[in-house]
Amino acid sequence: MATRTLALRNLHRLCKSRTIRHNSTSSSVNPAEVSHFNALASTWWDPHGSSRLLHLMNPLRHDFITSCLTSQATPAPSHKLRYLDVGCGGGIFAESAARLASTAHVTGIDPSAEVIKVALEHARQDPMLHGSERLQYLNKSIEDMPIPRSVEEQYDVLTLFEVVEHIDQPALFLKSCLPFVRPGGWLVLSTIARTWTSWITTKLIAEEVVRLVPRGTHQWEKYVNEEEMRSFFRTQHGWASSGGIKAMGCMYVPGVGWIMVAGGEQWGNYFFGVRKDTG
């Protein structure tokens, strides 16, 4: 009964809405979360450090985006892609996306000045990225970004990797992201379902037993189930028609790494993609 009550509460928390005003005092930024990730900034690019699981997951992020782009009924964009990586952290995904031949530009934004500093310093080490227009980092939240005034200013892919589970008001946050995606573009995220399995794996084992991630990284009650995410986007006008939703579970296997698991979105980590309608 307690689990069902929490599920209903979180569904309401996700689906409730009010007007979002960009460049206002409304913000998705939780100072405690920013402080937590500031403390991890110096080890962000250590493949054996606190962000080890993010480094290992990164190839699957690209695989899932590709599956979204190739799944649509209309052809995938023939032009080079523009990415907006929201909550980019130290730039693990943003850098890798900027190096792709199919990429025109990547903008990475994060409210933590410390992790943006790390991202900038690491990008300077790559001659392909340093001083180029392929990659830009901004110390901003999504609410601080100006609303695009034209399709040309919008993005083909907006990513939210391991971000939603750190947000206090996910509905407001997601609504703030929607105007930045161009018609036919995709919002792609990865997060964690709120189940007893995920509590055991992400809280008990990962944080307390094995210490794969620092203690306090996750708050189980903030996790959003895939069906809650799906329900939210079905209420958003101009999104997810004609089968424009994809989801795929993923699981970390010690000694192997992250693997995609069909149906796994119902009990643990998962990827979720939703397409903005073209008309």
Side-chain angles (χ1 to χ4, degrees):
M1 179 64 70
T3 303
R4 178 176 176 80
T5 300
L6 181 60
L8 291 173
R9 187 187 308 130
N10 273 40
L11 180 58
H12 175 71
R13 182 171 70 98
L14 181 64
C15 290
K16 69 181 180 179
S17 64
R18 63 179 173 84
T19 302
I20 309 295
R21 293 186 297 118
H22 281 249
N23 302 300
S24 73
T25 56
S26 175
S27 176
S28 58
V29 178
N30 181 323
E33 294 280 2
V34 173
S35 177
H36 176 82
F37 287 105
N38 279 343
L40 304 179
S42 63
T43 62
W44 207 280
W45 281 97
D46 180 356
H48 305 291
S50 60
S51 298
R52 176 173 177 263
L53 294 183
L54 302 183
H55 286 273
L56 294 174
M57 181 184 278
N58 204 46
L60 269 67
R61 296 167 169 175
H62 289 283
D63 291 344
F64 185 74
I65 290 173
T66 298
S67 74
C68 290
L69 295 174
T70 57
S71 70
Q72 55 200 49
T74 55
S78 57
H79 59 270
K80 291 190 175 185
L81 303 179
R82 284 167 42 83
Y83 290 82
L84 177 60
D85 188 19
V86 180
C88 65
I92 294 172
F93 173 76
E95 270 200 24
S96 61
R99 294 190 186 98
L100 296 176
S102 59
T103 297
H105 179 78
V106 178
T107 297
I109 65 172
D110 200 285
S112 167
E114 291 298 317
V115 297
I116 286 293
K117 180 181 178 181
V118 168
L120 288 166
E121 289 177 350
H122 194 271
R124 290 191 188 103
Q125 301 173 29
D126 187 341
M128 178 181 180
L129 302 178
H130 181 50
S132 78
E133 296 183 356
R134 298 180 67 90
L135 178 61
Q136 175 189 30
Y137 287 118
L138 300 173
N139 178 207
K140 294 178 179 288
S141 69
I142 189 66
E143 295 87 358
D144 294 329
M145 295 285 286
I147 293 286
R149 294 167 296 180
S150 66
V151 172
E152 289 72 26
E153 292 182 355
Q154 293 175 311
Y155 296 86
D156 299 286
V157 181
L158 185 149
T159 55
L160 301 166
F161 291 129
E162 284 66 59
V163 172
V164 174
E165 65 269 27
H166 301 288
I167 300 296
D168 291 334
Q169 300 184 67
L172 299 181
F173 172 69
L174 290 170
K175 282 178 175 288
S176 293
C177 295
L178 301 186
F180 292 85
V181 183
R182 69 190 312 164
W186 285 82
L187 184 152
V188 177
L189 62 86
S190 56
T191 191
I192 310 171
R194 190 184 61 263
T195 65
W196 290 116
T197 303
S198 68
W199 183 86
I200 292 171
T201 56
T202 67
K203 292 296 295 179
L204 179 62
I205 296 177
E207 292 190 18
E208 302 295 337
V209 179
V210 184
R211 300 292 177 89
L212 286 172
V213 296
R215 181 179 293 171
T217 296
H218 299 110
Q219 297 181 49
W220 182 77
E221 64 274 11
K222 286 187 176 182
Y223 293 178
V224 177
N225 291 337
E226 188 271 346
E227 62 267 26
E228 294 168 345
M229 196 72 71
R230 191 177 290 260
S231 295
F232 169 79
F233 278 102
R234 282 176 172 163
T235 68
Q236 304 307 304
H237 178 70
W239 286 82
S241 67
S242 303
I245 293 181
K246 283 183 65 68
M248 176 64 69
C250 59
M251 178 175 65
Y252 177 71
V253 180
V256 176
W258 289 95
I259 60 172
M260 296 287 198
V261 181
E265 62 271 19
Q266 301 301 323
W267 47 266
N269 290 78
Y270 66 93
F271 288 96
F272 185 91
V274 57
R275 187 177 185 230
K276 190 170 187 177
D277 300 343
T278 55

